[in-house]
Amino acid sequence: MRNLSARIITTTAASLMVFTVPASQAQSSAYPNKPIRIIVAYAAGQGTDVATRLLGEQISKELGQPVVVENKAGAGGILGTELAAQAAGDGYTLTMGTNATHALNEFLYAKMPYDPVKDFEPIAMVGTFPMVLAVGTATPYRTVGDVLEAVKRKPGSADIAMPSTSARLVVEFLKERSGVPLFGIPYKGSGSAMTDVLGGQLSLTIDTPLALRPHLASGKLRALGVTSGTVSSLVPGVKPVAEQGHPGFEFVAWNALYAPKGTPAEITRMLNATVNKVLAKPELRQRLLDLGFDPAGGSAAYLGVFARKERERWAPIIKSAGIRAD
């Protein structure tokens, strides 16, 4: 009888182990079984929002569950990203991070309510885009070197419209590399900056390929250089700044998918595989290119290393220039 009782206890314990130990794995293997939310920390209609919605449509088709995009704009992307950081790490809340939310903001703001490394699991890089240096066609400048030489001869002769923090970082980086006293004037957005450059009040602007595209196509602006390390398909035929006497000069803005910390590895692996699969689709790639994004992809580990290097690279430039966003 004692042997029988022992066998029953042993069998029962084994059964409990089978059903209790792998519970989290069972939950993960059933993923997803309800809608997935992607928080976008920017306003609806902006490039990051539209790209996220395109990606979400494709992820939904692959995983068989609705993907809902939720906009939580404010404080340079901090509000929405904080909300994502506080969400459960179960794979049902994700966020579309950017170079601002996951690399730059911690150096631009005095207080940060989230940690871009400790509070998130990287999933995959989604897209990148360079900034473009462009001038009004009435100016004599044909290359980045022309602008630098003009400013050397006469400081203030080619002031630069800066409609974003990214544009300001490009100016500071170019000042550091060239030793030329460039002067940038901050704007709240592309619209007002473009008005002044097109009107001849300023010679130069630094903006995204999407914002500049119609003005370059109409011949009202002329692109002098792109900040990617190599030629970008988003601005065909325009030489990188790196190839105009400044080797190693590179700045790209980026979007990447993240999950809250603690999201099971099997879920992040599934999401990474899904993102890479949909980014390989020609129709989605073309739509992202039309939006001004170079489709990316790659492993979660690559994204983690890339973002870390971005923080290491831009932190000293932001600090030395005294750039603050608050």
mmCIF file with all atom_site columns, all heavy atoms in Angstrom, residues 61-88:
data_model
loop_
_atom_site.group_PDB
_atom_site.id
_atom_site.type_symbol
_atom_site.label_atom_id
_atom_site.label_alt_id
_atom_site.label_comp_id
_atom_site.label_asym_id
_atom_site.label_entity_id
_atom_site.label_seq_id
_atom_site.pdbx_PDB_ins_code
_atom_site.Cartn_x
_atom_site.Cartn_y
_atom_site.Cartn_z
_atom_site.occupancy
_atom_site.B_iso_or_equiv
_atom_site.pdbx_formal_charge
_atom_site.auth_seq_id
_atom_site.auth_comp_id
_atom_site.auth_asym_id
_atom_site.auth_atom_id
_atom_site.pdbx_PDB_model_num
ATOM 1   N N   . LYS A 1 61 ? -1.629 40.168 -41.340 1.00 0.00 ? 61 LYS A N   1
ATOM 2   C CA  . LYS A 1 61 ? -1.871 39.095 -42.320 1.00 0.00 ? 61 LYS A CA  1
ATOM 3   C C   . LYS A 1 61 ? -1.050 37.855 -41.998 1.00 0.00 ? 61 LYS A C   1
ATOM 4   O O   . LYS A 1 61 ? -1.515 36.721 -42.143 1.00 0.00 ? 61 LYS A O   1
ATOM 5   C CB  . LYS A 1 61 ? -1.539 39.594 -43.726 1.00 0.00 ? 61 LYS A CB  1
ATOM 6   C CG  . LYS A 1 61 ? -2.497 40.645 -44.266 1.00 0.00 ? 61 LYS A CG  1
ATOM 7   C CD  . LYS A 1 61 ? -2.060 41.135 -45.631 1.00 0.00 ? 61 LYS A CD  1
ATOM 8   C CE  . LYS A 1 61 ? -2.989 42.228 -46.155 1.00 0.00 ? 61 LYS A CE  1
ATOM 9   N NZ  . LYS A 1 61 ? -2.528 42.758 -47.479 1.00 0.00 ? 61 LYS A NZ  1
ATOM 10  N N   . GLU A 1 62 ? 0.184  38.072 -41.557 1.00 0.00 ? 62 GLU A N   1
ATOM 11  C CA  . GLU A 1 62 ? 1.066  36.942 -41.274 1.00 0.00 ? 62 GLU A CA  1
ATOM 12  C C   . GLU A 1 62 ? 0.664  36.207 -39.994 1.00 0.00 ? 62 GLU A C   1
ATOM 13  O O   . GLU A 1 62 ? 0.725  34.974 -39.942 1.00 0.00 ? 62 GLU A O   1
ATOM 14  C CB  . GLU A 1 62 ? 2.517  37.423 -41.148 1.00 0.00 ? 62 GLU A CB  1
ATOM 15  C CG  . GLU A 1 62 ? 3.131  37.923 -42.435 1.00 0.00 ? 62 GLU A CG  1
ATOM 16  C CD  . GLU A 1 62 ? 3.256  36.833 -43.492 1.00 0.00 ? 62 GLU A CD  1
ATOM 17  O OE1 . GLU A 1 62 ? 3.536  35.675 -43.111 1.00 0.00 ? 62 GLU A OE1 1
ATOM 18  O OE2 . GLU A 1 62 ? 3.079  37.144 -44.679 1.00 0.00 ? 62 GLU A OE2 1
ATOM 19  N N   . LEU A 1 63 ? 0.247  36.948 -38.965 1.00 0.00 ? 63 LEU A N   1
ATOM 20  C CA  . LEU A 1 63 ? -0.023 36.338 -37.662 1.00 0.00 ? 63 LEU A CA  1
ATOM 21  C C   . LEU A 1 63 ? -1.498 36.030 -37.426 1.00 0.00 ? 63 LEU A C   1
ATOM 22  O O   . LEU A 1 63 ? -1.849 35.382 -36.437 1.00 0.00 ? 63 LEU A O   1
ATOM 23  C CB  . LEU A 1 63 ? 0.497  37.241 -36.545 1.00 0.00 ? 63 LEU A CB  1
ATOM 24  C CG  . LEU A 1 63 ? 2.016  37.491 -36.541 1.00 0.00 ? 63 LEU A CG  1
ATOM 25  C CD1 . LEU A 1 63 ? 2.413  38.343 -35.330 1.00 0.00 ? 63 LEU A CD1 1
ATOM 26  C CD2 . LEU A 1 63 ? 2.798  36.179 -36.536 1.00 0.00 ? 63 LEU A CD2 1
ATOM 27  N N   . GLY A 1 64 ? -2.354 36.524 -38.301 1.00 0.00 ? 64 GLY A N   1
ATOM 28  C CA  . GLY A 1 64 ? -3.765 36.188 -38.190 1.00 0.00 ? 64 GLY A CA  1
ATOM 29  C C   . GLY A 1 64 ? -4.504 36.889 -37.068 1.00 0.00 ? 64 GLY A C   1
ATOM 30  O O   . GLY A 1 64 ? -5.546 36.409 -36.613 1.00 0.00 ? 64 GLY A O   1
ATOM 31  N N   . GLN A 1 65 ? -3.971 38.011 -36.600 1.00 0.00 ? 65 GLN A N   1
ATOM 32  C CA  . GLN A 1 65 ? -4.637 38.794 -35.569 1.00 0.00 ? 65 GLN A CA  1
ATOM 33  C C   . GLN A 1 65 ? -4.599 40.271 -35.956 1.00 0.00 ? 65 GLN A C   1
ATOM 34  O O   . GLN A 1 65 ? -3.662 40.712 -36.634 1.00 0.00 ? 65 GLN A O   1
ATOM 35  C CB  . GLN A 1 65 ? -3.944 38.625 -34.216 1.00 0.00 ? 65 GLN A CB  1
ATOM 36  C CG  . GLN A 1 65 ? -4.138 37.267 -33.568 1.00 0.00 ? 65 GLN A CG  1
ATOM 37  C CD  . GLN A 1 65 ? -5.568 37.026 -33.096 1.00 0.00 ? 65 GLN A CD  1
ATOM 38  O OE1 . GLN A 1 65 ? -6.346 37.960 -32.909 1.00 0.00 ? 65 GLN A OE1 1
ATOM 39  N NE2 . GLN A 1 65 ? -5.912 35.747 -32.914 1.00 0.00 ? 65 GLN A NE2 1
ATOM 40  N N   . PRO A 1 66 ? -5.599 41.057 -35.536 1.00 0.00 ? 66 PRO A N   1
ATOM 41  C CA  . PRO A 1 66 ? -5.566 42.495 -35.833 1.00 0.00 ? 66 PRO A CA  1
ATOM 42  C C   . PRO A 1 66 ? -4.361 43.164 -35.173 1.00 0.00 ? 66 PRO A C   1
ATOM 43  O O   . PRO A 1 66 ? -3.942 42.782 -34.082 1.00 0.00 ? 66 PRO A O   1
ATOM 44  C CB  . PRO A 1 66 ? -6.869 43.017 -35.213 1.00 0.00 ? 66 PRO A CB  1
ATOM 45  C CG  . PRO A 1 66 ? -7.737 41.819 -35.068 1.00 0.00 ? 66 PRO A CG  1
ATOM 46  C CD  . PRO A 1 66 ? -6.824 40.660 -34.817 1.00 0.00 ? 66 PRO A CD  1
ATOM 47  N N   . VAL A 1 67 ? -3.811 44.155 -35.857 1.00 0.00 ? 67 VAL A N   1
ATOM 48  C CA  . VAL A 1 67 ? -2.752 44.990 -35.294 1.00 0.00 ? 67 VAL A CA  1
ATOM 49  C C   . VAL A 1 67 ? -3.302 46.408 -35.232 1.00 0.00 ? 67 VAL A C   1
ATOM 50  O O   . VAL A 1 67 ? -3.649 47.000 -36.255 1.00 0.00 ? 67 VAL A O   1
ATOM 51  C CB  . VAL A 1 67 ? -1.469 44.936 -36.137 1.00 0.00 ? 67 VAL A CB  1
ATOM 52  C CG1 . VAL A 1 67 ? -0.446 45.943 -35.610 1.00 0.00 ? 67 VAL A CG1 1
ATOM 53  C CG2 . VAL A 1 67 ? -0.878 43.528 -36.106 1.00 0.00 ? 67 VAL A CG2 1
ATOM 54  N N   . VAL A 1 68 ? -3.393 46.942 -34.031 1.00 0.00 ? 68 VAL A N   1
ATOM 55  C CA  . VAL A 1 68 ? -3.988 48.258 -33.813 1.00 0.00 ? 68 VAL A CA  1
ATOM 56  C C   . VAL A 1 68 ? -2.876 49.263 -33.507 1.00 0.00 ? 68 VAL A C   1
ATOM 57  O O   . VAL A 1 68 ? -2.057 49.038 -32.607 1.00 0.00 ? 68 VAL A O   1
ATOM 58  C CB  . VAL A 1 68 ? -4.983 48.218 -32.633 1.00 0.00 ? 68 VAL A CB  1
ATOM 59  C CG1 . VAL A 1 68 ? -5.589 49.595 -32.392 1.00 0.00 ? 68 VAL A CG1 1
ATOM 60  C CG2 . VAL A 1 68 ? -6.066 47.178 -32.883 1.00 0.00 ? 68 VAL A CG2 1
ATOM 61  N N   . VAL A 1 69 ? -2.847 50.350 -34.264 1.00 0.00 ? 69 VAL A N   1
ATOM 62  C CA  . VAL A 1 69 ? -1.859 51.409 -34.020 1.00 0.00 ? 69 VAL A CA  1
ATOM 63  C C   . VAL A 1 69 ? -2.489 52.470 -33.141 1.00 0.00 ? 69 VAL A C   1
ATOM 64  O O   . VAL A 1 69 ? -3.573 52.978 -33.432 1.00 0.00 ? 69 VAL A O   1
ATOM 65  C CB  . VAL A 1 69 ? -1.368 52.027 -35.344 1.00 0.00 ? 69 VAL A CB  1
ATOM 66  C CG1 . VAL A 1 69 ? -0.449 53.213 -35.068 1.00 0.00 ? 69 VAL A CG1 1
ATOM 67  C CG2 . VAL A 1 69 ? -0.637 50.980 -36.177 1.00 0.00 ? 69 VAL A CG2 1
ATOM 68  N N   . GLU A 1 70 ? -1.804 52.796 -32.052 1.00 0.00 ? 70 GLU A N   1
ATOM 69  C CA  . GLU A 1 70 ? -2.306 53.780 -31.090 1.00 0.00 ? 70 GLU A CA  1
ATOM 70  C C   . GLU A 1 70 ? -1.313 54.939 -30.996 1.00 0.00 ? 70 GLU A C   1
ATOM 71  O O   . GLU A 1 70 ? -0.156 54.735 -30.647 1.00 0.00 ? 70 GLU A O   1
ATOM 72  C CB  . GLU A 1 70 ? -2.467 53.123 -29.718 1.00 0.00 ? 70 GLU A CB  1
ATOM 73  C CG  . GLU A 1 70 ? -3.052 54.026 -28.653 1.00 0.00 ? 70 GLU A CG  1
ATOM 74  C CD  . GLU A 1 70 ? -3.262 53.294 -27.344 1.00 0.00 ? 70 GLU A CD  1
ATOM 75  O OE1 . GLU A 1 70 ? -3.569 52.081 -27.378 1.00 0.00 ? 70 GLU A OE1 1
ATOM 76  O OE2 . GLU A 1 70 ? -3.095 53.927 -26.286 1.00 0.00 ? 70 GLU A OE2 1
ATOM 77  N N   . ASN A 1 71 ? -1.770 56.141 -31.321 1.00 0.00 ? 71 ASN A N   1
ATOM 78  C CA  . ASN A 1 71 ? -0.908 57.326 -31.289 1.00 0.00 ? 71 ASN A CA  1
ATOM 79  C C   . ASN A 1 71 ? -0.943 57.987 -29.920 1.00 0.00 ? 71 ASN A C   1
ATOM 80  O O   . ASN A 1 71 ? -2.015 58.291 -29.399 1.00 0.00 ? 71 ASN A O   1
ATOM 81  C CB  . ASN A 1 71 ? -1.341 58.337 -32.349 1.00 0.00 ? 71 ASN A CB  1
ATOM 82  C CG  . ASN A 1 71 ? -1.249 57.784 -33.752 1.00 0.00 ? 71 ASN A CG  1
ATOM 83  O OD1 . ASN A 1 71 ? -2.217 57.227 -34.273 1.00 0.00 ? 71 ASN A OD1 1
ATOM 84  N ND2 . ASN A 1 71 ? -0.092 57.919 -34.365 1.00 0.00 ? 71 ASN A ND2 1
ATOM 85  N N   . LYS A 1 72 ? 0.243  58.158 -29.347 1.00 0.00 ? 72 LYS A N   1
ATOM 86  C CA  . LYS A 1 72 ? 0.385  58.855 -28.071 1.00 0.00 ? 72 LYS A CA  1
ATOM 87  C C   . LYS A 1 72 ? 1.529  59.857 -28.212 1.00 0.00 ? 72 LYS A C   1
ATOM 88  O O   . LYS A 1 72 ? 2.662  59.601 -27.811 1.00 0.00 ? 72 LYS A O   1
ATOM 89  C CB  . LYS A 1 72 ? 0.680  57.864 -26.935 1.00 0.00 ? 72 LYS A CB  1
ATOM 90  C CG  . LYS A 1 72 ? -0.477 56.932 -26.603 1.00 0.00 ? 72 LYS A CG  1
ATOM 91  C CD  . LYS A 1 72 ? -1.639 57.690 -25.962 1.00 0.00 ? 72 LYS A CD  1
ATOM 92  C CE  . LYS A 1 72 ? -2.769 56.745 -25.595 1.00 0.00 ? 72 LYS A CE  1
ATOM 93  N NZ  . LYS A 1 72 ? -3.918 57.473 -25.009 1.00 0.00 ? 72 LYS A NZ  1
ATOM 94  N N   . ALA A 1 73 ? 1.232  60.983 -28.836 1.00 0.00 ? 73 ALA A N   1
ATOM 95  C CA  . ALA A 1 73 ? 2.276  61.962 -29.141 1.00 0.00 ? 73 ALA A CA  1
ATOM 96  C C   . ALA A 1 73 ? 2.528  62.888 -27.971 1.00 0.00 ? 73 ALA A C   1
ATOM 97  O O   . ALA A 1 73 ? 1.664  63.098 -27.118 1.00 0.00 ? 73 ALA A O   1
ATOM 98  C CB  . ALA A 1 73 ? 1.876  62.776 -30.368 1.00 0.00 ? 73 ALA A CB  1
ATOM 99  N N   . GLY A 1 74 ? 3.748  63.454 -27.943 1.00 0.00 ? 74 GLY A N   1
ATOM 100 C CA  . GLY A 1 74 ? 4.069  64.459 -26.935 1.00 0.00 ? 74 GLY A CA  1
ATOM 101 C C   . GLY A 1 74 ? 5.472  64.329 -26.415 1.00 0.00 ? 74 GLY A C   1
ATOM 102 O O   . GLY A 1 74 ? 6.038  63.233 -26.348 1.00 0.00 ? 74 GLY A O   1
ATOM 103 N N   . ALA A 1 75 ? 6.068  65.472 -26.073 1.00 0.00 ? 75 ALA A N   1
ATOM 104 C CA  . ALA A 1 75 ? 7.397  65.547 -25.455 1.00 0.00 ? 75 ALA A CA  1
ATOM 105 C C   . ALA A 1 75 ? 8.456  64.824 -26.276 1.00 0.00 ? 75 ALA A C   1
ATOM 106 O O   . ALA A 1 75 ? 9.278  64.083 -25.739 1.00 0.00 ? 75 ALA A O   1
ATOM 107 C CB  . ALA A 1 75 ? 7.351  64.996 -24.033 1.00 0.00 ? 75 ALA A CB  1
ATOM 108 N N   . GLY A 1 76 ? 8.449  65.050 -27.575 1.00 0.00 ? 76 GLY A N   1
ATOM 109 C CA  . GLY A 1 76 ? 9.480  64.481 -28.426 1.00 0.00 ? 76 GLY A CA  1
ATOM 110 C C   . GLY A 1 76 ? 9.482  62.968 -28.469 1.00 0.00 ? 76 GLY A C   1
ATOM 111 O O   . GLY A 1 76 ? 10.529 62.342 -28.681 1.00 0.00 ? 76 GLY A O   1
ATOM 112 N N   . GLY A 1 77 ? 8.311  62.365 -28.260 1.00 0.00 ? 77 GLY A N   1
ATOM 113 C CA  . GLY A 1 77 ? 8.211  60.913 -28.300 1.00 0.00 ? 77 GLY A CA  1
ATOM 114 C C   . GLY A 1 77 ? 8.277  60.255 -26.926 1.00 0.00 ? 77 GLY A C   1
ATOM 115 O O   . GLY A 1 77 ? 8.110  59.037 -26.808 1.00 0.00 ? 77 GLY A O   1
ATOM 116 N N   . ILE A 1 78 ? 8.480  61.050 -25.882 1.00 0.00 ? 78 ILE A N   1
ATOM 117 C CA  . ILE A 1 78 ? 8.653  60.469 -24.545 1.00 0.00 ? 78 ILE A CA  1
ATOM 118 C C   . ILE A 1 78 ? 7.344  59.908 -23.986 1.00 0.00 ? 78 ILE A C   1
ATOM 119 O O   . ILE A 1 78 ? 7.326  58.822 -23.392 1.00 0.00 ? 78 ILE A O   1
ATOM 120 C CB  . ILE A 1 78 ? 9.240  61.521 -23.580 1.00 0.00 ? 78 ILE A CB  1
ATOM 121 C CG1 . ILE A 1 78 ? 10.709 61.787 -23.949 1.00 0.00 ? 78 ILE A CG1 1
ATOM 122 C CG2 . ILE A 1 78 ? 9.139  61.065 -22.136 1.00 0.00 ? 78 ILE A CG2 1
ATOM 123 C CD1 . ILE A 1 78 ? 11.370 62.853 -23.107 1.00 0.00 ? 78 ILE A CD1 1
ATOM 124 N N   . LEU A 1 79 ? 6.228  60.602 -24.185 1.00 0.00 ? 79 LEU A N   1
ATOM 125 C CA  . LEU A 1 79 ? 4.971  60.172 -23.582 1.00 0.00 ? 79 LEU A CA  1
ATOM 126 C C   . LEU A 1 79 ? 4.557  58.782 -24.049 1.00 0.00 ? 79 LEU A C   1
ATOM 127 O O   . LEU A 1 79 ? 4.246  57.904 -23.242 1.00 0.00 ? 79 LEU A O   1
ATOM 128 C CB  . LEU A 1 79 ? 3.858  61.186 -23.885 1.00 0.00 ? 79 LEU A CB  1
ATOM 129 C CG  . LEU A 1 79 ? 4.002  62.572 -23.253 1.00 0.00 ? 79 LEU A CG  1
ATOM 130 C CD1 . LEU A 1 79 ? 2.795  63.439 -23.586 1.00 0.00 ? 79 LEU A CD1 1
ATOM 131 C CD2 . LEU A 1 79 ? 4.174  62.465 -21.754 1.00 0.00 ? 79 LEU A CD2 1
ATOM 132 N N   . GLY A 1 80 ? 4.536  58.576 -25.352 1.00 0.00 ? 80 GLY A N   1
ATOM 133 C CA  . GLY A 1 80 ? 4.135  57.280 -25.890 1.00 0.00 ? 80 GLY A CA  1
ATOM 134 C C   . GLY A 1 80 ? 5.111  56.171 -25.550 1.00 0.00 ? 80 GLY A C   1
ATOM 135 O O   . GLY A 1 80 ? 4.725  55.034 -25.270 1.00 0.00 ? 80 GLY A O   1
ATOM 136 N N   . THR A 1 81 ? 6.397  56.495 -25.548 1.00 0.00 ? 81 THR A N   1
ATOM 137 C CA  . THR A 1 81 ? 7.408  55.486 -25.255 1.00 0.00 ? 81 THR A CA  1
ATOM 138 C C   . THR A 1 81 ? 7.353  55.079 -23.792 1.00 0.00 ? 81 THR A C   1
ATOM 139 O O   . THR A 1 81 ? 7.544  53.904 -23.448 1.00 0.00 ? 81 THR A O   1
ATOM 140 C CB  . THR A 1 81 ? 8.810  56.008 -25.621 1.00 0.00 ? 81 THR A CB  1
ATOM 141 O OG1 . THR A 1 81 ? 8.782  56.524 -26.958 1.00 0.00 ? 81 THR A OG1 1
ATOM 142 C CG2 . THR A 1 81 ? 9.837  54.888 -25.568 1.00 0.00 ? 81 THR A CG2 1
ATOM 143 N N   . GLU A 1 82 ? 7.070  56.037 -22.907 1.00 0.00 ? 82 GLU A N   1
ATOM 144 C CA  . GLU A 1 82 ? 6.896  55.716 -21.488 1.00 0.00 ? 82 GLU A CA  1
ATOM 145 C C   . GLU A 1 82 ? 5.710  54.770 -21.297 1.00 0.00 ? 82 GLU A C   1
ATOM 146 O O   . GLU A 1 82 ? 5.785  53.805 -20.517 1.00 0.00 ? 82 GLU A O   1
ATOM 147 C CB  . GLU A 1 82 ? 6.679  56.989 -20.686 1.00 0.00 ? 82 GLU A CB  1
ATOM 148 C CG  . GLU A 1 82 ? 6.464  56.738 -19.198 1.00 0.00 ? 82 GLU A CG  1
ATOM 149 C CD  . GLU A 1 82 ? 6.064  57.991 -18.433 1.00 0.00 ? 82 GLU A CD  1
ATOM 150 O OE1 . GLU A 1 82 ? 5.780  59.020 -19.069 1.00 0.00 ? 82 GLU A OE1 1
ATOM 151 O OE2 . GLU A 1 82 ? 6.032  57.929 -17.189 1.00 0.00 ? 82 GLU A OE2 1
ATOM 152 N N   . LEU A 1 83 ? 4.628  55.037 -22.016 1.00 0.00 ? 83 LEU A N   1
ATOM 153 C CA  . LEU A 1 83 ? 3.448  54.173 -21.927 1.00 0.00 ? 83 LEU A CA  1
ATOM 154 C C   . LEU A 1 83 ? 3.792  52.748 -22.352 1.00 0.00 ? 83 LEU A C   1
ATOM 155 O O   . LEU A 1 83 ? 3.378  51.778 -21.711 1.00 0.00 ? 83 LEU A O   1
ATOM 156 C CB  . LEU A 1 83 ? 2.331  54.738 -22.811 1.00 0.00 ? 83 LEU A CB  1
ATOM 157 C CG  . LEU A 1 83 ? 1.001  53.980 -22.817 1.00 0.00 ? 83 LEU A CG  1
ATOM 158 C CD1 . LEU A 1 83 ? 0.361  54.017 -21.435 1.00 0.00 ? 83 LEU A CD1 1
ATOM 159 C CD2 . LEU A 1 83 ? 0.050  54.580 -23.858 1.00 0.00 ? 83 LEU A CD2 1
ATOM 160 N N   . ALA A 1 84 ? 4.571  52.617 -23.408 1.00 0.00 ? 84 ALA A N   1
ATOM 161 C CA  . ALA A 1 84 ? 4.981  51.289 -23.876 1.00 0.00 ? 84 ALA A CA  1
ATOM 162 C C   . ALA A 1 84 ? 5.881  50.605 -22.857 1.00 0.00 ? 84 ALA A C   1
ATOM 163 O O   . ALA A 1 84 ? 5.775  49.395 -22.628 1.00 0.00 ? 84 ALA A O   1
ATOM 164 C CB  . ALA A 1 84 ? 5.695  51.410 -25.216 1.00 0.00 ? 84 ALA A CB  1
ATOM 165 N N   . ALA A 1 85 ? 6.759  51.365 -22.223 1.00 0.00 ? 85 ALA A N   1
ATOM 166 C CA  . ALA A 1 85 ? 7.673  50.799 -21.231 1.00 0.00 ? 85 ALA A CA  1
ATOM 167 C C   . ALA A 1 85 ? 6.912  50.243 -20.030 1.00 0.00 ? 85 ALA A C   1
ATOM 168 O O   . ALA A 1 85 ? 7.362  49.285 -19.386 1.00 0.00 ? 85 ALA A O   1
ATOM 169 C CB  . ALA A 1 85 ? 8.671  51.851 -20.774 1.00 0.00 ? 85 ALA A CB  1
ATOM 170 N N   . GLN A 1 86 ? 5.753  50.822 -19.725 1.00 0.00 ? 86 GLN A N   1
ATOM 171 C CA  . GLN A 1 86 ? 4.967  50.398 -18.575 1.00 0.00 ? 86 GLN A CA  1
ATOM 172 C C   . GLN A 1 86 ? 4.031  49.235 -18.883 1.00 0.00 ? 86 GLN A C   1
ATOM 173 O O   . GLN A 1 86 ? 3.429  48.659 -17.977 1.00 0.00 ? 86 GLN A O   1
ATOM 174 C CB  . GLN A 1 86 ? 4.145  51.583 -18.048 1.00 0.00 ? 86 GLN A CB  1
ATOM 175 C CG  . GLN A 1 86 ? 4.990  52.722 -17.501 1.00 0.00 ? 86 GLN A CG  1
ATOM 176 C CD  . GLN A 1 86 ? 4.186  53.974 -17.206 1.00 0.00 ? 86 GLN A CD  1
ATOM 177 O OE1 . GLN A 1 86 ? 3.039  54.102 -17.653 1.00 0.00 ? 86 GLN A OE1 1
ATOM 178 N NE2 . GLN A 1 86 ? 4.769  54.907 -16.476 1.00 0.00 ? 86 GLN A NE2 1
ATOM 179 N N   . ALA A 1 87 ? 3.912  48.867 -20.156 1.00 0.00 ? 87 ALA A N   1
ATOM 180 C CA  . ALA A 1 87 ? 2.990  47.809 -20.559 1.00 0.00 ? 87 ALA A CA  1
ATOM 181 C C   . ALA A 1 87 ? 3.533  46.430 -20.171 1.00 0.00 ? 87 ALA A C   1
ATOM 182 O O   . ALA A 1 87 ? 4.732  46.251 -19.945 1.00 0.00 ? 87 ALA A O   1
ATOM 183 C CB  . ALA A 1 87 ? 2.748  47.879 -22.067 1.00 0.00 ? 87 ALA A CB  1
ATOM 184 N N   . ALA A 1 88 ? 2.636  45.473 -20.115 1.00 0.00 ? 88 ALA A N   1
ATOM 185 C CA  . ALA A 1 88 ? 3.030  44.096 -19.799 1.00 0.00 ? 88 ALA A CA  1
ATOM 186 C C   . ALA A 1 88 ? 3.917  43.534 -20.906 1.00 0.00 ? 88 ALA A C   1
ATOM 187 O O   . ALA A 1 88 ? 3.696  43.804 -22.089 1.00 0.00 ? 88 ALA A O   1
ATOM 188 C CB  . ALA A 1 88 ? 1.783  43.231 -19.640 1.00 0.00 ? 88 ALA A CB  1
#
